[in-house]
Amino acid sequence: MGSCLTVGPNEALVVSGGCCGSDIKTYVVGGWSWAWWLISDAQRLSLEIMTLQPRCEDVETAEGVAITVTGVAQVKVMTEQDLLAVACEQFLGKSVMEIKGVLLQTLEGHLRSILGTLTVEQIYQDRDQFAKLVRDVAAPDVGRMGIEILSFTIKDVYDKLDYLSSLGKTQIAAVQRDADIGVAEAERDAGIREAECKKEMMDVKFKADTKMADSKRELELQKASFNQEVNKAEAQLAYELQAAKEQQKIRLEEIEIQVVQRKKEITIEEKEIDRTDKELIATVKRPAEAEAYKMQQLAEGEKLKKVLIAQAEAEKIKKVGEAEASSIEAVGKAEAEKMRLKAEAYEQYGDAAKTALVLEALPKHCCQPQPSAESKHRLLLDFPSCAKLT
């Protein structure tokens, strides 16, 4: 029986031992592996970055000056199979502090040995080069332990004899001297440059003034030429304008002459029109008006004639109607009187009257024609005395 073991990417798992006395070792990074109980051994090795601070105190340089140097190194166990196996052989079963102690001693030894070959100026002024040299020298030794140097930098360099500060003062004085010299040279150069600039400025100003004067002269010449051309053009325009005015006057006079001629023609045409109108009035309008008046008088006479005839006819009909009405009224009265008289006669004569009445009823018109009522009426009018006899 056994168990399944897992490990993260920041650790290495080493499984050794097995059945039948096997010496095969299994290295696992960020994975799993099988381990038998009792007969297999499983150990872990950290792969995290380790920070080291190597420090070398009072180490004499090539000039015999004792200085103290402090550095910072970042190291870690390499994960390649062969190098991981080497690191496991060196550090498996040790704590991180023990591993750091081994690596720190190694780096400090190399740092101390390199310090003895360099001057203080080289160490102090070119720290990057010094750190690179330490890293290049120490890398093979720690690499044989399965360790990789990721970075190495110099943190601090100082001494107890104020050599570095004196060096700094000297350097500062030299820098100050160089600065003063540089300022003086700069001022000198500035003065020279200023003089040159002024000279150049004067040259440029002279050239500019000369060019401006030339331009001004050319401008004046151009103005003169332009004014000459303008005056010439104005004279030409004035001449053309005067000619146009004269031509316009001539044209106006011609137009006035034409207007006068046209007025005369219009007067003649008006007189001709008046003559023609009078001739038309005399030859056409007057006879036409006379004929129209004649026709109008004839029409009015005919109309009046018809009106008078109609009035006469109406009067005639009225008179005839009145006469007939009067005759009928007279006949009616006569007949009534006759009937009254006959009635009285019948009452007086009795049978004789009745016989006479029968005789009257007989058709006398068979023997002789009977007079009309109009004839009888006229007869009664002519001879009123006969009414009683009737």
Side-chain angles (χ1 to χ4, degrees):
M1 298 298 292
S3 61
C4 182
L5 303 177
T6 60
V7 69
N10 62 336
E11 286 185 328
L13 177 65
V14 181
V15 180
S16 59
C19 298
C20 302
S22 175
D23 58 353
I24 297 175
K25 299 177 181 63
T26 303
Y27 302 95
V28 179
V29 178
W32 66 275
S33 179
W34 180 265
W36 298 97
W37 292 349
L38 301 177
I39 60 174
S40 295
D41 182 41
Q43 292 180 300
R44 299 172 186 269
L45 181 65
S46 176
L47 301 179
E48 294 180 354
I49 294 175
M50 294 176 286
T51 301
L52 305 177
Q53 293 184 355
R55 178 185 177 88
C56 294
E57 295 182 358
D58 299 330
V59 178
E60 292 185 359
T61 62
E63 296 174 344
V65 179
I67 61 174
T68 300
V69 178
T70 303
V72 177
Q74 306 292 340
V75 298
K76 69 180 291 293
V77 177
M78 290 185 283
T79 57
E80 286 80 358
Q81 191 71 23
D82 296 338
L83 297 174
L84 180 59
V86 173
C88 290
E89 291 177 0
Q90 300 291 330
F91 303 110
L92 199 60
K94 292 183 179 181
S95 64
V96 175
M97 294 302 298
E98 292 176 342
I99 297 172
K100 285 184 176 181
V102 174
L103 297 176
L104 185 60
Q105 291 178 5
T106 304
L107 288 176
E108 287 179 351
H110 287 292
L111 180 59
R112 188 179 295 273
S113 64
I114 293 172
L115 285 173
T117 62
L118 299 176
T119 64
V120 177
E121 289 78 1
Q122 291 176 339
I123 297 170
Y124 186 76
Q125 294 177 358
D126 197 355
R127 295 190 180 188
D128 292 337
Q129 185 64 29
F130 174 53
K132 182 177 181 301
L133 182 60
V134 174
R135 187 170 55 250
D136 293 341
V137 172
D141 289 342
V142 297
R144 284 191 290 268
M145 300 178 189
I147 302 298
E148 178 184 8
I149 299 176
L150 299 178
S151 66
F152 181 84
T153 58
I154 300 301
K155 183 179 179 181
D156 191 15
V157 177
Y158 66 93
D159 68 302
K160 297 179 181 180
L161 301 176
D162 294 334
Y163 180 83
L164 292 174
S165 52
S166 299
L167 183 63
K169 291 179 181 179
T170 305
Q171 186 68 24
I172 291 171
V175 170
Q176 185 67 36
R177 182 199 59 209
D178 294 341
D180 294 339
I181 294 172
V183 169
E185 290 178 352
E187 290 178 353
R188 181 199 62 195
D189 295 340
I192 295 172
R193 184 59 183 164
E194 183 178 0
E196 291 176 353
C197 290
K198 286 183 179 180
K199 182 177 180 299
E200 291 177 359
M201 183 182 68
M202 295 301 294
D203 294 340
V204 171
K205 186 175 182 302
F206 177 75
K207 290 180 181 179
D209 292 339
T210 305
K211 191 173 182 180
M212 187 180 297
D214 294 339
S215 300
K216 200 170 184 180
R217 185 175 62 257
E218 291 178 1
L219 179 62
E220 294 296 332
L221 293 174
Q222 290 179 358
K223 280 185 179 180
S225 177
F226 178 74
N227 290 331
Q228 184 179 0
E229 292 179 359
V230 169
N231 293 332
K232 184 178 179 181
E234 288 179 352
Q236 183 67 26
L237 289 174
Y239 173 76
E240 292 178 357
L241 180 61
Q242 188 63 31
K245 288 182 179 179
E246 296 296 331
Q247 188 69 25
Q248 187 176 7
K249 288 181 180 179
I250 296 171
R251 180 58 182 164
L252 289 174
E253 291 177 358
E254 291 178 353
I255 291 173
E256 289 179 357
I257 295 171
Q258 291 178 1
V259 169
V260 172
Q261 292 178 354
R262 184 58 182 162
K263 285 182 178 179
K264 290 181 180 179
E265 292 176 357
I266 290 171
T267 303
I268 295 171
E269 289 177 356
E270 288 177 351
K271 290 181 179 180
E272 181 65 21
I273 290 170
D274 292 339
R275 186 189 67 76
T276 305
D277 288 341
K278 292 178 180 179
E279 183 178 354
L280 289 174
I281 290 170
T283 58
V284 178
K285 185 176 180 180
R286 297 301 183 188
E289 290 179 351
E291 184 65 23
Y293 180 74
K294 176 182 177 181
M295 296 300 296
Q296 182 180 2
Q297 294 298 321
L298 290 175
E300 290 179 355
E302 187 66 24
K303 178 180 178 181
L304 183 60
K305 177 182 177 182
K306 290 181 180 180
V307 170
L308 293 175
I309 291 173
Q311 290 177 354
E313 289 292 331
E315 187 67 23
K316 175 183 176 183
I317 292 170
K318 180 180 179 183
K319 295 295 184 182
V320 171
E322 291 177 354
E324 288 182 352
S326 298
S327 72
I328 291 170
E329 183 180 0
V331 170
K333 290 180 178 181
E335 288 291 336
E337 186 64 24
K338 178 182 177 181
M339 291 300 292
R340 187 181 66 77
L341 292 176
K342 282 183 178 182
E344 291 178 354
Y346 289 156
E347 290 178 357
Q348 292 176 4
Y349 299 108
D351 293 337
K354 293 178 181 179
T355 303
L357 182 60
V358 171
L359 290 174
E360 285 182 3
L362 290 176
K364 295 177 180 180
H365 60 277
C366 296
C367 298
Q368 58 183 3
Q370 296 292 325
S372 62
E374 185 177 359
S375 299
K376 289 181 178 183
H377 178 66
R378 289 179 180 176
L379 182 61
L380 291 173
L381 293 175
D382 294 333
F383 304 100
S385 61
C386 294
K388 296 181 179 179
L389 293 178
T390 307

